[in-house]
Amino acid sequence: MRLHTLHLQAFGPFAGTHTIDFDSLSADGLFLLHGDTGAGKSTVFAAICYALYGKPPGDRDLLLRSHHAPEGLLTEVTLDVTLAGRRLRIRRVPAQMRPKRSGPGETQQKAETFLSERTTDTTGQERWEPFSKSHQEASAEITDLLGMSRDQFCQVVLLPQNEFTKFLHADAHGRRELLGKLFRTHRFAFVERWLHDHSRTIEKDRDTARADVLRLAERIHQAAGADLATEHPAPTAEDPHTLTEPAQTWAQDLLHASHEHHDHTLQAAATAKTHLLEKQTLEAAARDLHQQQDAYTDARRQLDLLQEQQPHQATLRQRRDQARRAQHAAPQLHAADTAASDHADAQRTERSARRHLLPQHADLDADQLETIERTTRNEAAVLAELIAEEDTVRRLTTQLEGIDAERQDFDTQQRTSQDWLDQEPGMRRDLEARREAARQAELEGLRHHDALDGLKTRIEAAELRDTHLAEVAKAEQRLAKTQEIATLAGQEHLDIRRRRTEGMAAELAATLTDGIPCPVCGSCTHPAPAAAQDGQPTRQNEQDAETAHERANAALADALARAADQGAVQEELHALDTEHTHHTEQHRTATAGLSARNADYDTLTVQLTELTTKLTTARGTHPTVAARAAELTRTADHLKQAAQASRTLATAAQTLHHRTEQALLTAKDQGFDTLALAQQALLDDETLRAIEEEITQWRENCAVHTAVLQDPALQQAAAQPPADTSAATASRAAADNQHATATAAADAARTRTQDLATLATDLATAVQRLQPLEQAYSTARHLADLVTGTSTSARVRMQLEAYVLAARLEEVVTAANTRLHIMSEGRYTLSHSDHQAPRGARSGLGLQITDSWTGRPRKTDTLSGGESFFASLSLALGLADVVTHESGGNPLDTLFIDEGFGTLDEDTLHKVLDVLDSLRAHDRTVGVISHIPELRRRIPHRLHVRKNPTGSTLAHLTEAAE
């Protein structure tokens, strides 16, 4: 990397535009960047880092925009640089607020990146070719060409103040942090974490597999029970070795024992089944004999019971015969019952209908009731025609109420208007008196102010409504003149006071007397008392003028108040005229309306009286005509119902008499002396059918039981001793229990054998899964311990990342000793140590220095300040060489060294500068950032940074220029 030019604009402390020409600045290979503290020396390198990577050095956010920059000047950085043989120009504009292009205010300026490359066209002309405007694309291209990250670049291009002194004196952990960032060894740390996590993952899988084996072993133990024995021990968590092949052997042995036990239970179950069949046969024979004996005994008992029912059966046959004879007279009996029922219903209906009649109608016959019903309906029809007249009465009543309300409204309006008209003359007299007083006030104002002579004419013109605004304007003019007179009086008062104040010394001098102290200075002698001037106003003159001023103001205020009332009076008179017209019109309208409503009210009252008299006569004692008509209609309906019920009762009585005679004749023909006997013998079809079925069922039951008693098999069984079914059942039950027990044992043995076979298979699968996991975990754990330095077989406790960094540190130490040998004149040599750290800490990044004067190594923190500087500088330069090589070998032609030279004596400073000259000899440019005066004499090309209140500036100085 070789820098050519750097263009800064409103960046950091630099308010304006500055360009650094590194080609001329580094002509001798060495230049000095100096200036006061805080002037912005480190900002130059920050600008270079920002141009290359889009971010300044470090983790903190650097304020890029200058506080001193003008609003219209954008903050930007442009770097012309050669990277890996390619000439590039990088221009970056950070995000910032800028003035709007049109209108006031600010707007957000987005961050921009412009990457261009210098190329040669076909004609041999060089020009800048745009390459990219993308932040990501430009940053990726620059990073690839540099071959290092931003942290690496800042560490090896800018050798920061005290950074490598800290590295020189740091412990292994501190060196690891710095070297890890520079050499990007996080990938080895990732390997360490991955191996550790991988071993933990396999450990979890192995533990899960072990738990599966133990769980299956527990299930096998539970399934086998306590009766199965084996000579092999069961697997346990305390001995992981028993969880593989020994576990399978134990399970197979239990399975073999279970098979043998199952065969034994099958033989026992077969024997129990044969015994059960024999007992079941004996029980069935005993039950058959018992059933035959019970059947014969039951038939004998049932037949005896049937013989006892013979008298009842004779009675049933007699009822059946009488019922059959009564059925021949059933139609006539039914007709007589129906006629009797109809007659009873007619009697009840007739009694119910007569209960609704009026007392005078209760004993009338049907013809009389019909006559009165027709008369009542005619009267109701007449009343129905009068119902509409009631609606007319209600309508007239409503109209009268509305007219009466309007009469009251007109009467109220009439009285209100008349009362106001009666009061109006007095109100008018009062207003005219106020208007006359206002006129007199205006005249009085004319006497006070000669300038108001024309006021009377304007007051008369003010009576017209449309001239009020002009009158107000003129009144304001009069007010201004009056105020002017009052102002003049006030000024006169103030002038008199001023003149009196100015002559107050003379007034006071007139009261002085020799020997009496002065009221101002206290002296008893008065060598030169002030003399009064001609026309000097006295205190009395001042008081008189003030009194006149106050009277003038009071008169002016009173005149203005009274004159101002004229406009208001005129307005009130105009309003009074308008209200007079309104009330007069209202009084006339109310009088006419009240007369019309009185006439309407009288007419409607006459109509209402006539209709009311007519309807009162029609409705009688009822509330309405409609109510009386409805009552008459209900009475007529009751008379009609009573007449109809009376005729129906007479017809039912005749029918009852006729049918009763016919039924009696038929009953005697069938052998019954009375209708009551025939009715008693008569049965319904269902009862008669039940008697027939009972008689038939008795006959059939007798035949069935007789046939059973004549069965030879049952007779033979009855002759034998009683069957003992209880003994046969008990014997069969015992055999059944024995068979059930043997079958259950066989089933349990079969189930256990099947469960053990399944579990043994599952256990074999779990063991097959566990065995490779045991081996994998052993390998993974061993590798994880090796890379983390915790393995017991490791020679040193060194992690993988530390091991790699230790190798890089050895390279850095080798490269650093080349410069350290020169700067220390061969006295000091750095060396790397990977000895075991104290108290069990990990090792690998130890650093010590050997002093050739003593021949013994010692700690780096025993070096003096100057020795520490050139030792850390040697490390920084060596680190730069190794990182450059690590990053791909792209040469870093420009280095910056920041401060630290103040700790060197003159001889050591010369040696350090010789080393820097040796870097220049290898075509490198070294920029030294320092304020040491000696360096200004040794380094001809200098970049001076000056700070001032308006922002820092840059100047390129040379010995020739100075």
Side-chain angles (χ1 to χ4, degrees), residues 52 75 101 146 171 229 232 240 390 423 430 466 600 656 702 740 777 796 864 904:
L52 292 172
T75 297
R101 293 186 175 89
L146 282 170
D171 55 9
H232 300 282
E390 287 187 325
Q423 296 174 3
D430 293 340
D466 55 348
D600 294 341
L656 176 62
C702 288
Y777 172 72
V796 292
S864 64
L904 304 180

Side-chain angles (χ1 to χ4, degrees), residues 206-249:
R206 184 209 62 182
D207 292 343
T208 302
R210 283 183 176 180
D212 291 341
V213 172
L214 289 171
R215 177 177 52 80
L216 290 171
E218 180 63 24
R219 291 180 60 188
I220 291 173
H221 184 73
Q222 293 176 356
D227 57 327
L228 286 184
T230 176
E231 61 183 6
H232 300 282
T236 60
E238 290 75 13
D239 188 1
H241 175 70
T242 62
L243 299 180
T244 53
E245 288 82 359
Q248 290 183 274
T249 303

Side-chain angles (χ1 to χ4, degrees), residues 31 57 90 153 202 209 269-270 331 368 396 479 485 494 535 600 603 668 673 691 720 767 841 873 881 956:
F31 65 89
I90 310 162
F153 176 82
I202 294 180
Q368 293 171 336
L396 292 176
L479 175 62
I485 294 173
L494 294 176
D600 294 341
T603 302
K668 288 181 178 182
D673 294 336
I691 292 175
Q720 295 181 13
V767 169
L873 179 59
D881 292 340
H956 182 191

Side-chain angles (χ1 to χ4, degrees), residues 515-532:
I516 297 175
C518 175
V520 177
C521 64
S523 176
C524 294
T525 60
H526 314 292

Side-chain angles (χ1 to χ4, degrees), residues 33 112 154 217 228 244 358 447 509 602 678 709 727 874 877 882 926:
L33 183 62
E112 295 179 330
C154 295
L228 286 184
T244 53
L358 297 175
R447 289 194 298 271
D602 294 340
L709 291 175
S874 300
L877 295 174
V882 175
V926 179

Side-chain angles (χ1 to χ4, degrees), residues 289 292 711-720:
L289 178 60
Q292 291 175 347
D711 186 357
L714 295 181
Q715 291 177 353
Q716 182 181 1
Q720 295 181 13

